[in-house]
């Protein structure tokens, strides 16, 4: 049962600041921490928004950024700045609430392709990529970007301005080329159209304020790289109900790869279990072997064995588990810019 109270909202914002924003975005960390310690504002959120996904911290932050609210790029810096952000948000609450009601917070982070690429590269080519929880499909186009792992030579799509940098740990099977992709499709509650300026504006609002200018530039370059590519097949629908028909469209000569990043955390446990059974069944029914890649926090798929890194990692609680066919293979940052093979 979902609890809807000011305290439940406050706890959600404090957890977001600590477990998701810390180390990823100073702006989002400070802002959500301050909201979590603001009982009156949390009470307003609990009364104004339905419990569940519409109370997600990243949805509120994106809505304010989308509307050009104060500190849209850099976030508050101290108490007076936070009070200014709070006052603006309450004064424009009708507009903020309307955006939150019609939009979803499925963030499309193309840099996650750098974490996924070592797995994509090891499968028989070509691939049929099917992303569950897709937004604009930026992760469906890993062949449109360039990659720089540690100090290794850069490789990828010739001439692409989207350069994704990634730090690796010992033993990471760093690829040397991008995969060959024969088919790509995604399913999500609100797929975004890169030909629609308003959808692109929302997509950019979803992107967290970058810790460095390089991250912001690479995200914008990725949008442009995918905008000029033949569009992927995008389906608006339930992540589970729409999956079988979409998977059936994958060409039989390609290796089907069903993948998702920070998506299943928004489903109740019984639906996650149903999703796992469905993906296993879909892959077993194909004449050619396929694979399932999950990129989620270890608490999301609790039946997958907990990762055991060779050396203790100070930020292990915040890292996502990269698993192949329900077997953990690496720990990766939420933004895809670090991957540590197990």
């Amino acid at each position: 049962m979902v609890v809807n109270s000011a305290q439940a909202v406050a706890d959600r914002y404090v957890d977001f600041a600590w477990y998701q924003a810390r180390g990823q975005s100073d702006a989002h960390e400070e802002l959500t921490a301050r909201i979590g310690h603001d009982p009156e504002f949390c009470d307003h959120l609990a009364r104004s928004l339905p419990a569940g996904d519409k109370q997600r911290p990243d949805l509120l932050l994106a809505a304010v950024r989308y509307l050009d609210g104060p500190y849209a790029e850099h976030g508050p810096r101290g108490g007076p700045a936070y009070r200014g952000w709070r006052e603006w948000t309450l004064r424009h609450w009708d507009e903020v609430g309307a955006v939150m009601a019609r939009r979803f917070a499925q963030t499309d982070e193309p840099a996650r392709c750098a974490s996924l690429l070592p797995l994509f590269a090891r499968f028989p080519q070509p691939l049929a990529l099917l992303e569950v929880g897709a937004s604009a499909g930026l992760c469906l186009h890993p062949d449109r970007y360039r990659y720089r792992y540690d100090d290794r030579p850069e490789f990828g799509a010739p001439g692409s301005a989207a350069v994704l940098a990634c730090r690796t740990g010992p033993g990471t099977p760093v690829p040397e080329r991008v995969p060959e992709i024969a088919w790509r499709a995604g399913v999500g509650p609100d797929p975004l159209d890169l030909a629609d300026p308003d959808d692109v504006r929302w997509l950019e609002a979803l992107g967290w304020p970058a810790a460095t200018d390089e991250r912001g530039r690479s995200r914008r370059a990725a949008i442009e790289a995918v905008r000029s590519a033949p569009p992927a097949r995008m389906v608006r629908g339930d992540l589970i109900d729409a999956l079988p028909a979409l998977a059936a469209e994958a060409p039989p000569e390609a290796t089907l790869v069903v993948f998702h990043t920070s998506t299943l955390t928004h489903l109740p446990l019984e639906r996650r279990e149903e999703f796992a059974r469905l993906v296993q069944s879909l892959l077993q029914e194909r004449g050619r072997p396929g694979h399932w890649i999950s990129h989620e926090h270890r608490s999301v798929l609790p039946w997958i064995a907990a990762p055991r890194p060779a050396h203790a990692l100070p930020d292990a609680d915040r890292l996502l588990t990269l698993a192949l066919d329900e077997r953990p293979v690496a720990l990766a940052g939420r933004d895809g810019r670090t991957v540590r093979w197990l």
Side-chain angles (χ1 to χ4, degrees), residues 1-12:
M1 182 172 113
V2 178
V3 177
N4 188 20
S5 68
Q7 187 58 55
V9 171
D11 291 343
R12 189 169 190 175

Side-chain angles (χ1 to χ4, degrees), residues 184-204:
R184 56 193 105 213
V187 57
D190 185 34
L192 302 179
D193 182 359
L194 293 179
D196 183 337
D198 191 59
D199 276 2
V200 173
R201 181 180 176 85
W202 177 246
L203 180 61
E204 292 176 339

Side-chain angles (χ1 to χ4, degrees), residues 116 119 122-123 258-260 291-296 301 304-305 307 320-332 341-342:
L116 299 170
L119 290 177
R122 70 195 293 180
F123 302 144
V258 179
F259 73 98
H260 48 89
H291 297 282
W292 170 22
I293 298 176
S294 58
H295 186 222
E296 306 278 356
L301 302 172
I304 294 180
L320 303 184
T321 297
L322 187 64
L324 172 61
D325 299 325
E326 299 184 281
R327 181 176 62 85
V329 296
L331 290 171
W341 225 252
L342 300 175

Side-chain angles (χ1 to χ4, degrees), residues 110 138 144-146 159-164 194 204 213-228:
L138 298 185
R144 303 291 294 186
Y145 313 135
R146 297 189 63 77
S160 176
V163 180
L164 309 182
L194 293 179
E204 292 176 339
D213 290 340
E214 179 187 5
R215 285 177 57 177
R217 286 195 300 270
S218 67
R219 184 188 299 134
R220 290 188 292 272
I223 292 174
E224 291 304 316
V226 173
R227 198 205 304 261
S228 63

Side-chain angles (χ1 to χ4, degrees), residues 160-310:
S160 176
V163 180
L164 309 182
C166 183
R167 301 188 308 276
T168 72
T172 302
V174 176
E176 297 179 350
R177 59 181 63 87
V178 295
E180 178 187 352
I181 302 173
W183 179 86
R184 56 193 105 213
V187 57
D190 185 34
L192 302 179
D193 182 359
L194 293 179
D196 183 337
D198 191 59
D199 276 2
V200 173
R201 181 180 176 85
W202 177 246
L203 180 61
E204 292 176 339
L206 283 171
W208 290 14
T212 66
D213 290 340
E214 179 187 5
R215 285 177 57 177
R217 286 195 300 270
S218 67
R219 184 188 299 134
R220 290 188 292 272
I223 292 174
E224 291 304 316
V226 173
R227 198 205 304 261
S228 63
R233 170 101 159 91
M234 303 294 284
V235 172
R236 185 186 307 272
D238 181 83
L239 303 184
I240 297 175
D241 297 343
L243 193 58
L246 188 56
E249 297 179 19
E253 69 277 6
T255 300
L256 176 61
V257 181
V258 179
F259 73 98
H260 48 89
T261 65
S262 296
T263 295
L264 299 189
T265 183
H266 308 300
L267 299 179
L269 179 59
E270 60 271 18
R271 289 288 277 172
R272 287 178 248 153
E273 293 172 337
E274 181 183 356
F275 174 83
R277 290 191 295 269
L278 176 60
V279 173
Q280 293 165 354
S281 174
L282 292 175
L283 294 177
Q284 290 171 0
E285 291 171 359
R286 283 179 62 87
R288 176 169 177 160
H291 297 282
W292 170 22
I293 298 176
S294 58
H295 186 222
E296 306 278 356
H297 190 267
R298 60 191 168 132
S299 61
V300 174
L301 302 172
W303 58 88
I304 294 180
R308 297 183 179 276

Side-chain angles (χ1 to χ4, degrees), residues 141-153:
H141 294 265
D143 52 339
R144 303 291 294 186
Y145 313 135
R146 297 189 63 77
Y147 299 86
R148 185 172 63 246
Y149 290 92
D150 305 309
D151 297 325
R152 295 176 174 87

Side-chain angles (χ1 to χ4, degrees), residues 9-70:
V9 171
D11 291 343
R12 189 169 190 175
Y13 275 80
V14 171
D15 285 350
F16 183 93
W18 182 255
Y19 291 108
Q20 297 192 45
R22 184 165 62 98
Q24 304 296 324
S25 170
D26 292 344
H28 276 9
E29 180 184 2
E30 180 182 354
L31 182 50
T32 51
R34 287 186 179 277
I35 293 172
H37 290 90
D38 184 339
E40 290 185 3
F41 191 72
C42 288
D43 181 64
H44 166 77
L45 296 176
R47 288 185 289 103
S48 303
L49 300 169
D53 276 359
K54 293 304 178 181
Q55 289 185 357
R56 286 180 56 174
D58 47 352
L59 182 60
L60 171 62
L61 304 187
V64 174
R65 295 183 76 205
Y66 172 83
L67 294 169
D68 289 328

